[in-house]
Amino acid sequence: MKTNLTKILALLMLAGLTIQSCKPKNAGNASSSGSAEKAYVAPGKYDEFYNLVSGGFSGQMSVYGLPSGRLFRVIPVFSVDPEKGYGYSEETKPMLNTSHGFVPWDDLHHTELSQTNGEVDGRWVFGNANNTPRVARIDLASFKTAEIIELPNSAGNHSSPFITENTEYVVAGTRFSVPPDNANGDIPINTYKENFKGYISFISVKKESGEMDLAFQIECPGVNFDLSHAGKGKSNGWFFFSCYNTEQANTLLEVNASQRDKDFIMAVNWKKAEEYIKAGKAKRIAAKYAHNKYNEKTHTATSEMKKDVLVLDAKALKDICYFIPCPKSPHGCDVDPTGEYIVGSGKLAALIPVFSFDKMLKAIEGKQFDGSFEGIPVIKYEAALYGEVKKPGLGPLHTEFDGKGNAYTTFFVSSEVVKWNIKDLKVLDRAPTYYSVGHLCIPGGDSKKPNAKYLIAYNKITKDRYLPTGPELTQSAQLYDISGDKMEMILDFPTIGEPHYAQAISADLIKDRSIKFYKINENENKYVTKGEGQAKVVREGNVVHVYMTSIRSHFAPDNIEGIKMGDVVYFHVTNLEQDWDVPHGFAIKGATNAELLIMPGETQTMKWEPDKVGIFPMYCTDFCSALHQEMSGYIRVSPKGSKVPISYSLGKTKTIAKN
């Protein structure tokens, strides 16, 4: 009884300390009017950086300017977006196809910019789907999702989508180990240790087009892969993954997956894996997964269902995977710009271990192993350890680098960012965050060449930072000037969804390549209408195709008759504008999907099935001109079996369709 009471009192004291720690001691001095001026961008002026931020449970990716913190765009990726018609138009529906069918939502946790020679290049940004495992590629010329590939043998695609230094591969590790797709999955959950496996996926990326392909997977022991980063420079050819739940628990993980003092960093020699692939050591395993692509010429997505994947067995091939012990329940796994230092961030640890790539290689060569785990060699902790940062803070999560020999680590429990020196492992500075910071971002901070002017912290809790909006408050980010010896907060701004990992890049690498409009003469959509004279309505049985144009400020045609109950109507709307920033919208009263948002020179299609007889207005939803309100029309729906012929008109000219 007395023991239980003591435990309860201890927990209450801890809870009290946690609540008090929500507001750091120097909170009142965190920002001033002088420092805020550093974040000011005058009207009409551009920001220095793009900030590409994961949207978490929104399934989308948001684009901010830095240092202003202004929101520019929300890119629809893994979730439907009624504002833009993504996932609703016939052209974009295939983007959300999976082996489970059409999935309208996901949870996007991490973004990763493409790189050349270890430096961010501004071509593409990749995002991960954490729920139904997928990786997306967003084209930074159009800021549209260009491709999505599903990952078989996986669940909870969290350790993703991190890249090699020339974007040869996007690499993804599964958060939840599961039985392989080709195995009998109808097994007791408590047979986790015997039957569950963790898979690492290597997705190849074509150098010029960016097109992805699932090149191979590595079957690993059943653990939870959390985060990862590629080696660079001297460690190019290796990949490093944080792992937790080495207890291989399947229930009450907050207790049962936190028993060991150390979990692992898994080092993967992907160059050696390539050699084994070429030598025919991989098995081709049956697996069903979707590969979806958006074609910018046709403005149309297609979905292909793949049927197999090459798999290497890490247990059978002893020299592609190695475990390095890492305290405790590691989250971040980050590699410094030189490629020599690998930083593990144990969520439950009171220190930060820093591992040496050179020492790791020597340990492997000298077989300095402490046995094995599920057939994978375990390198002795001290044999790979460079050193430990002592008492840096509580709850280390994620680290990035400034290219000047310093590292910056977030601490979730103590709500702060800590700056420390990589060589001597000494803490140099600490700055409060508001509150419970998760990830951080320095422009190029996970590359060989960081641009260390700013640091952005992404927080899980805002509490008293903003006006209340009911039970759910906004998520937030804080911007710090790190150009000097001390970090200085200069901006606090709300974010879309729940921000996890993010990337930032100099605007000069992207802005001049941005597409302004699509050339109408290059539009290869099957249903394109390249001029009002080509507008028409065609009946094919109970299917009706409306070939329509939009231009300031009318649709052609804008009066349509002869639609009948039971018809399936496709409105193929082509935006004839050839000017920047003149999209048109399209909506119909009572339509049970969403609007279309059609960019200049683009064609998009709405599927509509009228639900009653009558007159249905249609109109442009995106303000386009002084006569925007007049950009509208009518559709007449008659009873099934009606003799009213298909006819369409614009102004006084009325055309009765021959069919």
Side-chain angles (χ1 to χ4, degrees):
M1 181 92 169
K2 190 177 286 186
T3 303
N4 288 337
L5 181 59
T6 303
K7 288 181 178 179
I8 292 169
L9 287 171
L11 288 170
L12 288 171
M13 289 175 64
L14 178 61
L17 288 170
T18 302
I19 292 169
Q20 291 178 28
S21 70
C22 275
K23 181 170 281 190
K25 293 179 181 178
N26 55 342
N29 301 318
S31 185
S32 66
S33 59
S35 61
E37 290 177 2
K38 295 181 179 181
Y40 178 71
V41 177
K45 299 297 183 182
Y46 285 171
D47 281 274
E48 297 174 67
F49 296 91
Y50 287 97
N51 190 200
L52 300 145
V53 184
S54 59
F57 44 64
S58 75
Q60 318 295 38
M61 188 182 298
S62 51
V63 184
Y64 298 85
L66 297 177
S68 72
R70 297 178 293 189
L71 175 65
F72 295 151
R73 180 173 173 80
V74 177
I75 304 171
V77 184
F78 295 115
S79 296
V80 295
D81 183 353
E83 176 191 342
K84 299 176 180 66
Y86 182 82
Y88 292 97
S89 74
E90 296 304 296
E91 283 81 1
T92 59
K93 283 179 181 177
M95 293 301 289
L96 300 179
N97 190 36
T98 74
S99 61
H100 306 276
F102 181 87
V103 175
W105 169 89
D106 218 297
D107 185 15
L108 196 163
H109 277 219
H110 307 126
T111 65
E112 182 81 344
L113 285 159
S114 57
Q115 295 184 13
T116 300
N117 297 323
E119 299 178 25
V120 293
D121 57 30
R123 293 177 295 164
W124 313 298
V125 62
F126 300 90
N128 71 318
N130 189 42
N131 184 52
T132 303
R134 288 168 286 172
V135 167
R137 176 176 60 87
I138 292 86
D139 189 333
L140 290 178
S142 64
F143 283 82
K144 286 187 176 183
T145 302
E147 191 174 10
I148 296 176
I149 190 166
E150 189 179 4
L151 302 176
N153 300 312
S154 300
N157 171 40
H158 193 263
S159 186
S160 167
F162 301 102
I163 64 167
T164 54
E165 68 173 30
N166 280 295
T167 322
E168 299 98 334
Y169 294 106
V170 178
V171 183
T174 185
R175 175 182 175 187
F176 306 116
S177 288
V178 290
D181 287 1
N182 67 334
N184 175 22
D186 184 17
I187 55 175
I189 296 172
N190 63 10
T191 64
Y192 183 110
K193 292 184 179 181
E194 296 79 19
N195 294 309
F196 288 44
K197 301 295 180 184
Y199 279 77
I200 304 296
S201 300
F202 283 77
I203 303 163
S204 62
V205 181
K206 287 186 178 179
K207 188 174 182 179
E208 299 302 324
S209 67
E211 186 175 329
M212 301 187 295
D213 186 43
L214 182 52
F216 63 93
Q217 293 183 315
I218 301 176
E219 182 183 287
C220 301
V223 295
N224 295 48
F225 294 105
D226 202 341
L227 286 175
S228 62
H229 269 98
K232 52 180 74 81
K234 63 165 59 180
S235 56
N236 181 33
W238 288 78
F239 227 98
F240 304 93
F241 297 82
S242 60
C243 316
Y244 66 100
N245 191 24
T246 53
E247 296 85 353
Q248 297 182 308
N250 62 273
T251 185
L252 198 63
L253 265 65
E254 64 178 341
V255 175
N256 295 324
S258 304
Q259 299 296 307
R260 294 172 180 253
D261 288 334
K262 292 183 176 68
D263 288 285
F264 295 125
I265 297 292
M266 188 174 79
V268 179
N269 187 340
W270 61 265
K271 289 286 189 181
K272 178 64 70 173
E274 284 185 327
E275 291 177 13
Y276 282 129
I277 294 288
K278 291 177 182 177
K281 298 293 185 181
K283 293 182 179 178
R284 190 165 291 280
I285 303 299
K288 183 181 178 182
Y289 57 101
H291 188 185
N292 310 327
K293 304 176 191 175
Y294 189 82
N295 186 316
E296 287 283 7
K297 291 184 178 180
T298 64
H299 312 296
T300 303
T302 56
S303 180
E304 177 186 5
M305 202 62 66
K306 298 294 188 74
K307 297 181 179 179
D308 55 39
V309 61
L310 285 173
V311 177
L312 293 170
D313 186 347
K315 186 175 181 179
L317 304 169
K318 302 291 186 182
D319 55 355
I320 55 174
C321 294
Y322 300 89
F323 283 127
I324 306 170
C326 181
K328 177 178 185 182
S329 297
H331 184 67
C333 181
D334 304 288
V335 182
D336 89 305
T338 70
E340 167 61 14
Y341 302 105
I342 303 107
V343 180
S345 297
K347 301 189 296 290
L348 304 179
L351 53 81
I352 302 173
V354 181
F355 301 100
S356 162
F357 179 71
D358 287 342
K359 289 187 70 176
M360 184 197 80
L361 290 184
K362 289 179 181 177
I364 292 171
E365 184 180 1
K367 299 190 183 301
Q368 298 179 58
F369 301 138
D370 191 7
S372 64
F373 177 83
E374 297 284 320
I376 307 298
V378 178
I379 298 170
K380 290 182 178 180
Y381 180 67
E382 294 78 10
L385 185 71
Y386 172 75
E388 297 172 339
V389 183
K390 303 292 187 181
K391 298 181 179 179
L394 298 175
L397 285 186
H398 177 219
T399 300
E400 290 215 336
F401 308 91
D402 64 6
K404 303 173 185 177
N406 303 312
Y408 298 75
T409 300
T410 56
F411 289 83
F412 179 83
V413 177
S414 52
S415 290
E416 59 185 335
V417 175
V418 175
K419 176 182 178 180
W420 51 277
N421 183 269
I422 300 171
K423 289 292 180 67
D424 64 21
L425 306 176
K426 300 294 185 182
V427 172
L428 303 175
D429 188 27
R430 57 181 72 238
T433 63
Y434 306 90
Y435 305 98
S436 300
V437 61
H439 289 273
L440 57 76
C441 164
I442 293 171
D446 71 340
S447 73
K448 289 167 70 173
K449 193 176 180 180
N451 188 341
K453 185 172 183 179
Y454 300 117
L455 179 151
I456 313 94
Y458 304 94
N459 305 303
K460 304 301 184 185
I461 298 171
T462 52
K463 291 291 186 186
D464 53 5
R465 299 297 288 182
Y466 301 99
L467 288 171
T469 53
E472 184 186 17
L473 302 179
T474 182
Q475 316 290 330
S476 78
Q478 269 121 27
L479 180 70
Y480 298 81
D481 180 348
I482 60 169
S483 59
D485 292 335
K486 298 293 183 180
M487 294 177 279
E488 180 184 19
M489 184 191 292
I490 61 175
L491 185 68
D492 187 338
F493 61 98
T495 60
I496 297 295
E498 181 188 5
H500 292 260
Y501 191 40
Q503 298 259 277
I505 183 173
S506 171
D508 291 337
L509 290 172
I510 295 178
K511 63 182 178 65
D512 294 333
R513 299 190 304 106
S514 184
I515 293 173
K516 295 187 174 181
F517 57 85
Y518 298 101
K519 294 178 181 179
I520 191 71
N521 291 333
E522 296 178 3
N523 184 330
E524 298 178 9
N525 187 288
K526 181 179 179 181
Y527 299 103
V528 64
T529 306
K530 294 187 177 181
E532 290 183 4
Q534 299 176 21
K536 59 185 177 181
V537 181
V538 178
R539 175 179 288 282
E540 298 173 353
N542 72 326
V543 175
V544 178
H545 292 278
V546 179
Y547 296 78
M548 178 180 284
T549 62
S550 60
I551 196 166
R552 288 168 286 184
S553 296
H554 62 268
F555 294 107
D558 65 2
N559 280 202
I560 301 169
E561 300 185 40
I563 305 299
K564 303 173 187 177
M565 289 296 295
D567 283 347
V568 178
V569 187
Y570 293 92
F571 289 86
H572 310 290
V573 186
T574 300
N575 183 344
L576 296 180
E577 306 284 358
Q578 292 291 271
D579 195 5
W580 195 15
D581 198 25
V582 193
H584 287 298
F586 179 76
I588 302 171
K589 177 188 174 182
T592 56
N593 42 29
E595 68 165 347
L596 297 178
L597 190 61
I598 313 115
M599 296 300 112
E602 186 180 47
T603 301
Q604 291 289 290
T605 299
M606 176 187 287
K607 180 181 178 181
W608 181 58
E609 298 182 55
D611 61 346
K612 64 179 182 179
V613 170
I615 302 297
F616 291 81
M618 59 185 180
Y619 73 104
C620 177
T621 57
D622 194 289
F623 202 97
C624 55
S625 74
L627 295 174
H628 168 75
Q629 292 291 87
E630 284 76 13
M631 192 168 175
S632 60
Y634 292 99
I635 306 160
R636 174 187 173 187
V637 177
S638 301
K640 188 173 184 178
S642 168
K643 300 299 183 182
V644 177
I646 287 286
S647 65
Y648 51 95
S649 62
L650 174 65
K652 296 181 179 180
T653 303
K654 183 174 183 178
T655 302
I656 298 177
K658 294 180 180 179
N659 57 327

